[in-house]
Amino acid sequence: MTAQPVSNGTPEFAAPSNLPGHIGIIMDGNGRWATRSGLPRSVGHERGVDALRETVKAAQKLGLSYLTVYSFSTENWRRPMAEVTALFSLLRLFIKKDLKRLKSENVKISVFGTREGLPEDICDLLDLAERETAENSRFNLGIAFNYGGREEIARAARDVARKVADGEMTLDEIDQHAIARHLDTRAFPDPDVIIRTGQEHRLSNFLVWQAAYSELIFMDVLWPEFGEVHLRAALETFAARERRFGGLSSEAG
Ligand code: IPE
Ligand code: IPE
Ligand code: MG
């Protein structure tokens, strides 16, 4: 299940016909990359933002339409406050520096997660990013920030329950489609593939509802070193997978 980039960095890559509609990326390994290089963890996160820029650029170039990146989880509050603060500062910087360019590139930004506990100026910046790009349509960038899949599902359940209590919905109308329509990701298709860098093989509360039939690709590369070549390798791995969605293989008699 491990995808590796082609060795010489210049792959003979023909864009596969079955490109994933939506890719999710768990950008992991910033801290370890920094520690291995004798640098503070915050530098790893800074380099991680550079890798994110390159990845968004590559995803656009390769013709993808939906990309969601996991940048801060509801569990990441367990880290030392100095690291949490550094991560927030990087988000501020990213939006202030990149929003104008992303807007001009026709990128629509959607933010997934709860605003609870976030500093007010961060909430304002996240709102600004969504508002400024709301009319864009060429590429969809989901930013999972202060995001936890279980929190998202609980919030959706609460919203549905409120509608039932208010008489806007009936109990019988609650099915999986109704729940999906109340998730933060409701405007995105389910991820066809989830890539996780950094050698860990788990979802860590990322898109747990939406990942029901996602292909999982785990890559050893640490996130700051991720780039176009790794994305291409992951797309090739995805293209070779057979998805059955509970049915039978096309080769089954
Ligand atoms: C991912 O890198 C970024 C965030 C979780 C915000 P890590 O900070 O988890 O890096 P490692 O896993 O400690 O190397
Ligand atoms: C997942 O990475 C969260 C993000 C990439 C934002 P973590 O580093 O927080 O995950 P665990 O703790 O190793 O499961
Ligand atoms: Mg980690």
Side-chain angles (χ1 to χ4, degrees):
M1 268 224 275
T2 300
Q4 291 302 334
V6 285
S7 53
N8 62 5
T10 49
E12 298 93 50
F13 176 88
S17 51
N18 51 341
L19 275 178
H22 177 195
I23 296 191
I25 303 187
I26 302 172
M27 309 183 290
D28 196 25
N30 293 350
R32 278 163 287 160
W33 178 86
T35 305
R36 277 177 206 178
S37 317
L39 297 163
R41 289 177 59 87
S42 59
V43 177
H45 295 312
E46 280 171 31
R47 295 295 169 83
V49 176
D50 294 337
L52 170 63
R53 282 194 187 98
E54 181 178 340
T55 303
V56 172
K57 200 167 99 192
Q60 290 174 275
K61 178 176 147 192
L62 295 171
L64 297 166
S65 303
Y66 291 88
L67 170 68
T68 297
V69 292
Y70 201 9
S71 57
F72 187 79
S73 76
T74 44
E75 287 71 38
N76 286 148
W77 286 102
R78 294 181 182 150
R79 298 188 180 198
M81 210 49 210
E83 179 160 345
V84 171
T85 306
L87 288 166
F88 287 178
S89 294
L90 279 175
L91 178 83
R92 283 186 187 98
L93 211 62
F94 177 72
I95 294 178
K96 286 178 184 163
K97 266 175 86 170
D98 290 58
L99 180 58
K100 207 169 147 200
R101 180 180 49 79
L102 291 168
K103 189 178 172 182
S104 73
E105 289 171 2
N106 203 0
V107 173
K108 178 173 176 154
I109 297 175
S110 302
V111 180
F112 307 140
T114 173
R115 302 287 159 96
E116 211 165 290
L118 292 177
E120 206 176 311
D121 74 302
I122 292 270
C123 295
D124 291 346
L125 281 172
L126 294 174
D127 288 343
L128 179 78
E130 287 191 310
R131 203 170 53 240
E132 288 281 312
T133 62
E135 304 304 321
N136 287 352
S137 56
R138 202 169 70 87
F139 185 82
N140 292 278
L141 175 63
I143 301 178
F145 192 84
N146 204 21
Y147 176 88
R150 288 181 170 184
E151 189 281 331
E152 179 193 34
I153 295 167
R155 199 154 30 82
R158 206 155 54 234
D159 289 347
V160 167
R162 194 176 298 119
K163 286 186 182 172
V164 172
D166 292 348
E168 290 171 38
M169 260 178 94
T170 64
L171 264 185
D172 290 342
E173 285 172 340
I174 304 176
D175 59 11
Q176 53 178 305
H177 304 291
I179 299 288
R181 279 198 306 275
H182 288 80
L183 295 174
D184 298 342
T185 54
R186 57 189 165 270
F188 278 44
D190 283 345
D192 297 293
V193 59
I194 291 180
I195 300 169
R196 182 174 186 141
T197 62
Q199 301 164 358
E200 309 293 1
H201 296 187
R202 55 180 172 255
L203 285 177
S204 301
N205 209 7
F206 183 55
L207 302 179
V208 289
W209 171 287
Q210 299 86 337
Y213 271 100
S214 302
E215 293 298 322
L216 306 178
I217 297 182
F218 298 108
M219 303 179 83
D220 287 344
V221 61
L222 300 173
W223 178 251
E225 289 173 337
F226 191 90
E228 183 175 335
V229 65
H230 303 92
L231 183 62
R232 285 171 179 268
L235 291 177
E236 286 186 343
T237 301
F238 171 78
R241 297 266 179 98
E242 186 192 24
R243 305 178 77 192
R244 289 190 290 279
F245 299 99
L248 294 180
S249 162
S250 50
E251 284 166 22

